[in-house]
Amino acid sequence: MDLPIIYHPDYIAPLPEGHRFPMSKFRQLYELLLADGVANQEQFHTPERPPLELIELVHTPSYVQAYCEGTLDPKAQRRIGLPWSPALANRTCVAVGGTILTAKLALSHGLACNTAGGTHHAFPSYGSGFCIFNDLAIACRVLQKFGLVQKILIVDLDVHQGDGTAYIFQDDDSVFTFSMHCEVNFPGTKQNSDLDVPLPVGMEDDAYLQTLANYLSDVLSKVKPNLVFYDAGVDPHIGDRLGKLALTDAGIFRREMQVLSTCVSSGYPVACVIGGGYADDMKSLVWRHSLLHRAASEVYQQYKLL
């Protein structure tokens, strides 16, 4: 049995020429994993678009309806940063379905990876920072609704604080939010995660990985989650346009191995999403995202998961 990986052709939606969000990376990641033999076709699972009532477990019905119908006001659209289209609305919902499926497969297999996800800047009634619906939060609520988990840990290593996720779960002991992010970066106004670890600009591999090691095992021991969501943003990379940290490709790969092996070796299942990554060189960006799936494949085989 091989690592479950989740992908849908609708993870891509057209954007205007020159838009700074790297939409094509999702398809290119899928193609790279196949081309490099990291995954075979049989490993890929196709998600379904979830019913809107599941999205409304987190987001207000008025916001969900306005977004899906294209009636959101221009100011709210600008805050998201992505121009509305029916294809993008569909893509947004399908990607949420992808993270829900990733979580379910992680519970049954011990580890699973989405090829999208990590829209952690979305709040209950509005989107922000290229994030429309908060897939991590929705997947948490769906799992809880169906009685699949009681306690969840979200490990968010995107370079930007997971402010929407922190806000959604701020008064909820059933979901522990851990965000390790660049201190001087978007969002300007931070929310309170259960554990925030702000990092100085320019932090390099060894200092970053040691900082992570200082917290991760202790958090796992304290929370004892039924499931870990891992937001593996690659924007802490030195080559990222929006990052301000200085990790190398090797540092990103070591980070993925560290997170996954620490969780899996202790018996905690992990559902992975790819998070943020912004670079002018699309090929190198896609490679960085693939490091998650390469590490996960190694860990999956090493621990002989189902």
Side-chain angles (χ1 to χ4, degrees), residues 1 40 53 74 141 171 189 208 278 291:
M1 198 73 178
N40 58 61
E53 54 262 32
R141 289 291 183 238
D171 298 316
T189 302
Y208 181 99
Y278 309 90
L291 296 172

Side-chain angles (χ1 to χ4, degrees), residues 104-178:
K104 289 178 177 177
L105 288 168
L107 287 172
S108 59
H109 291 72
L111 181 59
C113 291
N114 203 353
T115 51
T119 46
H120 59 173
H121 299 308
F123 284 70
S125 60
Y126 63 90
S128 175
F130 303 141
C131 300
I132 298 158
F133 298 147
N134 193 313
D135 63 309
L136 295 164
I138 296 165
C140 287
R141 289 291 183 238
V142 169
L143 295 181
Q144 290 176 331
K145 175 182 172 67
F146 292 111
L148 299 175
V149 295
Q150 282 77 48
K151 189 83 175 181
I152 296 170
L153 168 63
I154 298 176
V155 176
D156 191 335
L157 299 187
D158 192 281
V159 81
H160 306 106
Q161 191 210 32
D163 56 338
T165 315
Y167 178 86
I168 289 163
F169 297 117
Q170 61 185 347
D171 298 316
D172 187 341
D173 291 339
S174 71
V175 179
F176 188 99
T177 53
F178 167 28

